[in-house]
């Protein structure tokens, strides 16, 4: 069998919520499947929109030391960070400057960690509340045009988005009616970079996912596996639909195709 290069989404694919504890866990069948894939000589990687620093714990839980993070802008190989690209500097700087000028709550990440930067206390108070897992830093000297910005968090409605045409040229996700996150959203670009590093054949790439943010890599990858709990649109374009993540979905697909 040809060596395959597997890229797994995190939430709803590698991990599930334990109903008894409400904690995020990795099913034992998934752990064993990942172990067997590696023992059989396949390449195994995470592919997530999460920031690199947020992905380390999942990497530890799954014993995966290859990662595509930050929506395709981050690459980790053999546990070492090989690349971490910021958002387009000119666009990110211009957008943050315009949003701040208009008095909106704007927070930005400038490093590979949980620090979220604001130009003022007022801006921090108006911004989405991520204080439970991020440290808020006020820096009145912050010049958005001179910084490498990895993610932007802003309080803004869908209607108000129209006031900033530049947003149409930048990847963004809305997780709340009043909150917008501007972040990289091309996992497959990261997968392509990994394959270039490894010198692997793109035809041997296999991706697993369950959400809308996996659509891009599903449309581009030569073979895609949608979890049984995936959104219907992803199932429609997938090469194969397996069982749900909490019903041994990853192990089932890997056995079905003889990868383990």
């Amino acid at each position: 069998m040809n060596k395959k290069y597997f890229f797994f989404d995190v939430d709803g694919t590698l991990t599930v919520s334990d109903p008894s504890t409400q904690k995020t866990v990795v099913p034992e069948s998934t752990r064993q499947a990942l172990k067997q894939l590696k023992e059989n000589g396949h390449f195994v990687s995470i592919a997530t929109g999460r920031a690199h620093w947020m992905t380390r714990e999942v990497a530890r839980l799954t014993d995966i030391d290859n990662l595509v993070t930050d929506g395709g802008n981050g690459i980790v190989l053999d546990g070492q960070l090989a690349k971490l690209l910021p958002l387009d500097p000119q666009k990110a700087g211009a957008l943050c400057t315009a949003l701040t000028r208009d008095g909106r709550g704007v927070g930005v990440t400038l490093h590979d960690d949980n620090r979220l930067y604001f130009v003022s206390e007022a801006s921090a108070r108006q911004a989405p509340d991520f204080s439970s897992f991020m440290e808020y830093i006020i820096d009145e000297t912050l010049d958005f045009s001179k910084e490498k910005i990895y993610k932007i968090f802003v309080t803004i409605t869908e209607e108000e988005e129209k006031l900033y045409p530049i947003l149409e040229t930048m990847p963004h996700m809305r997780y709340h009616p009043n909150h917008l996150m501007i972040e990289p959203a091309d996992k497959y670009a990261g997968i392509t970079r990994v394959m270039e590093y490894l010198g692997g054949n793109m035809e041997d790439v296999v991706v697993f996912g369950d959400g809308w943010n996996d659509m891009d890599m599903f449309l581009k990858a030569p073979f895609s596996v949608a979890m049984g709990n995936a959104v219907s649109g992803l199932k429609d374009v997938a090469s194969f639909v397996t069982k749900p993540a909490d019903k041994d979905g990853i192990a089932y697909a890997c056995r079905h195709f003889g990868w383990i």
Side-chain angles (χ1 to χ4, degrees), residues 62-174:
T62 55
D63 195 26
I64 296 176
D65 53 11
N66 303 299
L67 315 172
V68 172
T69 67
D70 296 80
N73 277 23
I75 293 173
V76 174
L77 295 173
D78 294 326
Q80 299 299 313
L81 183 63
K83 184 180 290 291
L84 184 58
L85 300 172
L87 293 167
D88 181 289
Q90 291 185 330
K91 290 181 180 180
L95 176 62
C96 289
T97 299
L99 290 167
T100 302
R101 178 197 62 214
D102 294 345
R104 300 190 183 280
V106 181
V108 298
T109 57
L110 305 177
H111 310 284
D112 183 26
D113 58 29
N114 70 332
R115 289 176 290 176
L116 191 58
Y117 287 80
F118 302 88
V119 295
S120 68
E121 291 280 0
S123 183
R125 286 195 298 270
Q126 295 177 54
D129 185 9
F130 298 111
S131 58
S132 62
F133 64 95
M134 301 194 79
E135 179 184 0
Y136 283 23
I137 305 293
I138 308 301
D139 183 355
E140 295 180 354
T141 68
L142 184 61
D143 184 344
F144 296 116
S145 67
K146 296 180 180 180
E147 299 287 352
K148 288 183 178 179
I149 298 173
Y150 294 94
K151 293 194 179 189
I152 302 169
F153 302 80
V154 60
T155 300
I156 189 171
T157 66
E158 192 168 357
E159 184 64 26
E160 290 169 334
E161 279 186 52
K162 300 173 184 177
L163 299 173
Y164 305 91
I166 193 172
L167 275 172
E168 297 180 7
T169 70
M170 302 178 71
H172 55 275
M173 294 287 290
R174 182 172 290 281

Side-chain angles (χ1 to χ4, degrees), residues 8-11 14 45-71 74 76 112 151:
F8 296 91
D9 175 53
V10 174
D11 300 298
L14 284 174
S45 174
I46 287 171
T48 180
R50 292 186 184 192
H52 171 236
W53 67 269
M54 291 185 69
T55 312
R56 292 172 185 158
E57 178 62 13
V58 177
R60 184 189 67 80
L61 290 174
T62 55
D63 195 26
I64 296 176
D65 53 11
N66 303 299
L67 315 172
V68 172
T69 67
D70 296 80
V76 174
D112 183 26
K151 293 194 179 189

Side-chain angles (χ1 to χ4, degrees), residues 2 5 18 27 42 86 155 170 178-179 220 224 232 234 251 255:
N2 287 346
Y5 298 82
D18 184 337
H42 300 299
T155 300
M170 302 178 71
N178 295 324
H179 302 161
K220 295 176 181 177
S224 55
S232 59
L234 202 67
R255 288 195 298 265

Side-chain angles (χ1 to χ4, degrees), residues 226-260:
M227 307 306 294
N229 50 280
V231 296
S232 59
L234 202 67
K235 291 179 179 179
D236 290 341
V237 302
S239 307
F240 180 75
V241 178
T242 187
K243 295 181 179 180
D246 61 352
K247 303 295 183 184
D248 305 333
I250 287 177
Y252 178 83
C254 290
R255 288 195 298 265
H256 178 81
F257 290 102
W259 298 323
I260 63 174

